Amino acid sequence: MDKNGTPAWTLHDPPSNKFYLIEWPAFEILSRWNLGTVQNIVVSVNQETTLEICEQDVLGMISFLEHNFLLYTSTPEGNKRLAAAQAAQRPTWAAWLLKNYLFIRIPIIRPAQFLKKTAPIVALLYTKTFFFLTMVVAAIAMYLISRQWDIFSHSFTAYRSIEGIIIVSCAIPIAKIIHEFGHAFTAHRYGCRIPTIGFAFVVLLPMLYTDTNEAWKLTSHTKRLAISVAGIAAEMLLALAALWTWILLDEGPMRSVAFILATSTWIMTIALNISPFMRFDGYFILCDLVQIPNLHHRSSAFGRWWLREWLFGFGNSAPEPTSTRRKVFLVLFALMTWIYRFIVFLAIAIVVYHYFFKALGIFLFVVEIGVFIILPMFKEIFAWWGLRDKMRININTVRSLLIVVGIAYLLVIPWEKSFSAPATLSAFREQQISAPFASIITTEFAQDMQKVRGGEKLLQLSSPEMEQQILQVSTSSEISRWQVDQQTFDQNLLNLGNVPQRRLEADIAELAGLNKVLDQLTVRAPFDGIVVSRNDELTTGLWLSKKEPLYIVADTSMNRVDGYVKEQELDRIRVGAAARFIPDALEFGVYECTVTEIDRVNIAIIDEPFLASTYGGSITAHNNEQGVATPDSPIFRIRMGNCFPNESPIIKLRGVVHIEAEKRSKFVEIIKKYYALAIREIGF
């Protein structure tokens, strides 16, 4: 009996090991199959039951049986049809590999005898006494763990040793074996045959599986639900045992393994199996909870029906009669399944591309996208084409046409005339002033936020070492000058020839150079502006090291905007294009600017770290070994000037600049982007 209270029966086909759920009229028709003719079956059902059927119902049942090869045949024509169907269903090795390389089953053991011998022992696990005992033991364990929670939450140290890694690598497969035997023992308990337990390779990653297909012959959905949940329940029991093992053991690798089995393994199992959109435990659990067998197939039929009706309004009836509530559930489940599988198959395609060497990776990527994403979409579109005779102009078709036209307009028509990019607004000129060499402060003239004129004194420095060097050179030059003046009166000096003259010239040149260096001890403003930053440690008598920052002077009477654009946007910009800078701090207003310069070489590092994603900015970047923000993809600087208003805040502003650009079709941009990506990836 199904969820609505209608009688239902399960029809088992042993050769294919398939199960079919049939309703009361189908059951009554099959029960009278020996009557031989359609008319006899119709008369018998209508006279002996409260049902009223017609010949079309019987013919529909015959069509169903023929389609699923459930009719016995002994004629040559029938045998030929079965042989042709079998040949059509038998793919070539290449077709089989393309379809199944992502999921391959390899049977390992036939557990029937083992399950039969161990069934009396395992039966104790299904008693109420064991259940309540387990709850008590679990409550005690949780209490003991809560008393030493800090130690428990920081207990995993196994990865610190090779021995621990090996033990953990062995423990996790044991947990998965127990998971599969949980399914097997429960299915065997309810009379289901378990033909095999083996390995399944999902994207070439090994996983265990248990063949519990016969669970569908059970009439009780509670029993089927128990089989689906049994694997997770078995791992939960293992986790409880591991929890007590952790409590009783001393610190070491085995205790770390117990921690893993008590926490991570069952969490990973639930995370993997909980999704009902793939045929894992979560799917079968949901089927039994909502009592809808073959949920994927039936919901997919409802999803296709709803999509066709919403797009074209054919007026066709639903694939099967059901309540409005269940109809909505099946449609929503189908849509969610399609979205989920699209994301999963796309992710798998990317994984297999990177998993293999490039040539095979590209081939498998194309196969994955083509077989599992594009092919189903084209099949549905071809189905629409086959129904073209039923299409009429109605509100659905008009709406669909408007949507298609709207999408085409957005994608094909070049309407986007600007784009945005991260940017900064700063003073037109800004310069950091540093100590020219090691020196000492004698007088300070400038203060923070003081307006200064170009050439105005900011700081007076002195350098005893430089002064001593100037004194030495001055003394040497005086001596050389005296020797030159007295050379005509002294024979010894006369014998030196032009050496004194050359020494004097060298001293004069060196002294001139030292005096120029000495001028640097008077720190002056490079241009008219404001001292926007001052070293707070500056004070009279302070020693400064070479290149130590002193001030930052900025000309705030004008400003500039530096934008950072991606490579694909570079050829859309022209010098003279209008731009609008919108700072993050909206109280500063909007700045209207003009593009004045376009860099043609991408930047190696991000000069303004607050623009990098590593510091909360919008440019995706990473820090290199020196801790400097480096962009992940080519970024080019666009300089903008002639901004209005032309004043600049004292601090740099981060924001977004909207730059006028050449109109481009979004569709063309997408094609160019993926064409460039394809050219880049297929290069060997």
Side-chain angles (χ1 to χ4, degrees):
M1 188 170 293
D2 67 11
K3 188 175 181 180
N4 298 323
T6 305
W9 288 261
T10 301
L11 183 64
H12 182 208
D13 180 20
S16 63
N17 199 28
K18 291 182 178 180
F19 298 87
Y20 304 90
L21 190 68
I22 60 174
E23 296 180 346
W24 184 20
F27 173 78
E28 296 295 346
I29 291 173
L30 291 178
S31 299
R32 294 163 175 79
W33 201 255
N34 58 349
L35 296 179
T37 65
V38 173
Q39 293 79 4
N40 292 342
I41 294 175
V42 171
V43 171
S44 177
V45 171
N46 291 338
Q47 289 180 351
E48 299 174 7
T49 70
T50 57
L51 292 171
E52 291 187 6
I53 66 171
C54 61
E55 293 185 1
Q56 291 299 323
D57 296 323
V58 180
L59 294 176
M61 189 64 191
I62 294 174
S63 176
F64 162 76
L65 296 174
E66 287 182 342
H67 179 74
N68 293 281
F69 306 104
L70 297 175
L71 290 178
Y72 174 79
T73 180
S74 58
T75 63
E77 293 77 9
N79 291 335
K80 288 181 180 179
R81 188 177 66 87
L82 291 176
Q86 184 180 15
Q89 293 179 355
R90 187 187 299 120
T92 63
W93 67 270
W96 180 91
L97 185 61
L98 288 177
K99 187 176 181 180
N100 296 279
Y101 79 96
L102 293 177
F103 187 79
I104 301 174
R105 282 189 174 188
I106 302 178
I108 301 297
I109 60 173
R110 299 184 180 277
Q113 292 299 321
F114 174 78
L115 296 175
K116 184 178 180 180
K117 291 180 180 179
T118 55
I121 302 174
V122 177
L124 299 174
L125 302 178
Y126 296 91
T127 60
K128 293 183 178 180
T129 302
F130 179 80
F131 175 77
F132 287 114
L133 180 62
T134 300
M135 294 296 102
V136 172
V137 171
I140 296 173
M142 295 305 297
Y143 171 75
L144 295 176
I145 289 295
S146 67
R147 299 293 300 272
Q148 46 184 333
W149 178 252
D150 290 339
I151 300 175
F152 180 76
S153 60
H154 296 86
S155 66
F156 183 61
T157 58
Y159 284 138
R160 297 178 184 176
S161 66
I162 298 298
E163 178 186 3
I165 295 175
I166 295 174
I167 294 175
V168 170
S169 300
C170 296
I172 293 178
I174 291 174
K176 302 311 168 189
I177 291 173
I178 291 175
H179 176 102
E180 297 305 324
F181 270 98
H183 292 305
F185 279 121
T186 307
H188 181 269
R189 175 180 175 81
Y190 295 134
C192 299
R193 184 174 61 91
I194 310 299
T196 59
I197 295 178
F199 281 109
F201 289 88
V202 181
V203 197
L204 300 183
L205 295 178
M207 299 175 61
L208 290 171
Y209 80 93
T210 302
D211 188 347
T212 58
N213 284 336
E214 284 201 4
W216 287 108
K217 76 178 184 181
L218 300 175
T219 57
S220 170
H221 78 276
T222 304
K223 292 181 179 180
R224 296 195 301 268
L225 183 61
I227 294 173
S228 301
V229 176
I232 296 175
E235 281 204 59
M236 296 296 288
L237 286 176
L238 176 63
L240 180 59
L243 200 60
W244 274 99
T245 303
W246 185 91
I247 294 171
L248 299 175
L249 287 179
D250 295 328
E251 189 64 38
M254 290 302 298
R255 200 181 197 209
S256 297
V257 172
F259 175 80
I260 286 294
L261 292 176
T263 56
S264 303
T265 55
W266 65 270
I267 292 175
M268 289 189 296
T269 297
I270 292 177
L272 178 65
N273 287 277
I274 198 65
S275 170
F277 305 117
M278 303 294 283
R279 295 182 66 86
F280 295 134
D281 291 348
Y283 167 70
F284 298 104
I285 292 173
L286 181 63
C287 286
D288 290 310
L289 284 176
V290 300
Q291 298 185 37
I292 304 179
N294 207 11
L295 178 58
H296 277 166
H297 179 76
R298 295 168 71 180
S299 67
S300 181
F302 268 90
R304 291 192 300 270
W305 164 78
W306 174 85
L307 183 62
R308 295 170 186 176
E309 292 301 313
W310 192 87
L311 290 175
F312 307 111
F314 291 124
N316 295 334
S317 58
E320 59 184 75
T322 185
S323 65
T324 302
R325 184 177 180 181
R326 177 172 286 201
K327 187 184 300 181
V328 171
F329 167 76
L330 289 171
V331 171
L332 290 177
F333 184 79
L335 297 177
M336 293 172 65
T337 301
W338 293 343
I339 295 172
Y340 178 86
R341 290 190 174 184
F342 174 81
I343 296 172
V344 168
F345 289 139
L346 183 61
I348 291 175
I350 296 173
V351 169
V352 298
Y353 169 72
H354 292 286
Y355 197 85
F356 301 96
F357 59 89
K358 179 162 284 191
L360 183 58
I362 293 174
F363 173 74
L364 294 179
F365 179 88
V366 172
V367 169
E368 176 71 15
I369 296 297
V371 173
F372 296 99
I373 295 179
I374 297 178
L375 184 60
M377 295 173 63
F378 270 95
K379 283 184 177 180
E380 180 60 20
I381 293 174
F382 288 146
W384 299 348
W385 179 252
L387 296 171
R388 62 188 181 278
D389 294 338
K390 296 182 179 180
M391 292 183 183
R392 300 292 184 270
I393 296 178
N394 53 45
I395 187 172
N396 301 69
T397 54
V398 172
R399 179 183 58 199
S400 301
L401 182 61
L402 290 176
I403 291 174
V404 172
V405 171
I407 294 175
Y409 174 78
L410 293 176
L411 291 179
V412 178
I413 303 299
W415 59 274
E416 190 176 19
K417 63 178 182 179
S418 66
F419 67 92
S420 60
T424 60
L425 182 139
S426 59
F428 179 72
R429 288 185 295 179
E430 185 177 272
Q431 182 173 327
Q432 177 177 287
I433 302 173
S434 304
F437 39 78
S439 54
I440 187 172
I441 299 175
T442 58
T443 308
E444 183 179 10
F445 303 99
Q447 297 299 320
D448 198 15
M449 307 308 298
Q450 176 181 329
K451 289 186 177 181
V452 295
R453 305 283 296 177
E456 183 179 338
K457 287 184 180 181
L458 303 179
L459 197 66
Q460 183 63 53
L461 307 175
S462 67
S463 173
E465 180 182 355
M466 181 65 63
E467 293 171 356
Q468 180 64 30
Q469 189 175 356
I470 290 175
L471 180 60
Q472 290 176 354
V473 175
S474 297
T475 302
S476 176
S477 66
E478 290 298 328
I479 293 173
S480 299
R481 187 182 301 279
W482 179 85
Q483 289 178 345
V484 170
D485 292 341
Q486 298 297 320
Q487 192 173 23
T488 56
F489 307 105
D490 190 323
Q491 185 62 40
N492 292 330
L493 293 176
L494 191 61
N495 293 335
L496 293 177
N498 62 352
V499 172
Q501 180 64 34
R502 291 184 178 178
R503 188 182 297 151
L504 175 61
E505 293 173 355
D507 289 340
I508 293 173
E510 184 177 0
L511 186 61
L514 290 173
N515 285 326
K516 288 183 178 179
V517 174
L518 189 63
D519 288 341
Q520 298 180 26
L521 293 175
T522 302
V523 179
R524 301 178 184 275
F527 45 76
D528 295 352
I530 297 177
V531 179
V532 297
S533 178
R534 171 184 173 274
N535 190 330
D536 294 334
E537 297 181 357
L538 298 184
T539 183
T540 303
L542 177 69
W543 274 95
L544 302 172
S545 61
K546 185 178 181 180
K547 299 299 183 182
E548 183 169 350
L550 302 176
Y551 304 100
I552 295 179
V553 178
D555 179 7
T556 58
S557 62
M558 298 179 63
N559 55 41
R560 72 176 188 188
V561 174
D562 290 339
Y564 299 86
V565 304
K566 297 179 181 179
E567 184 177 14
Q568 56 267 32
E569 306 288 0
L570 196 62
D571 60 345
R572 297 181 60 194
I573 313 171
R574 299 290 181 268
V575 172
R580 172 177 291 183
F581 176 77
I582 303 175
D584 292 344
L586 297 178
E587 60 269 22
F588 288 98
V590 177
Y591 292 79
E592 303 290 343
C593 306
T594 303
V595 175
T596 57
E597 186 179 346
I598 303 173
D599 288 357
R600 294 300 173 181
V601 178
N602 62 295
I603 61 173
I605 61 174
I606 301 175
D607 296 331
E608 309 298 343
F610 55 79
L611 290 175
S613 58
T614 51
Y615 297 96
S618 56
I619 300 178
T620 56
H622 64 278
N623 290 340
N624 58 19
E625 296 177 355
Q626 290 75 34
V628 179
T630 303
D632 292 339
S633 58
I635 298 293
F636 295 79
R637 181 186 286 108
I638 306 298
R639 300 185 184 276
M640 286 149 280
N642 304 322
C643 297
F644 179 82
N646 57 3
E647 294 83 8
S648 171
I650 296 173
I651 60 174
K652 286 188 176 182
L653 298 181
R654 183 178 72 179
V656 176
V657 62
H658 297 271
I659 305 174
E660 184 182 55
E662 177 187 342
K663 292 183 179 181
R664 291 269 180 92
S665 164
K666 207 68 177 177
F667 179 75
V668 173
E669 289 294 309
I670 294 172
I671 294 297
K672 289 177 62 177
K673 178 180 178 180
Y674 285 101
Y675 175 75
L677 179 64
I679 293 299
R680 185 188 69 193
E681 292 299 326
I682 64 177
F684 293 93

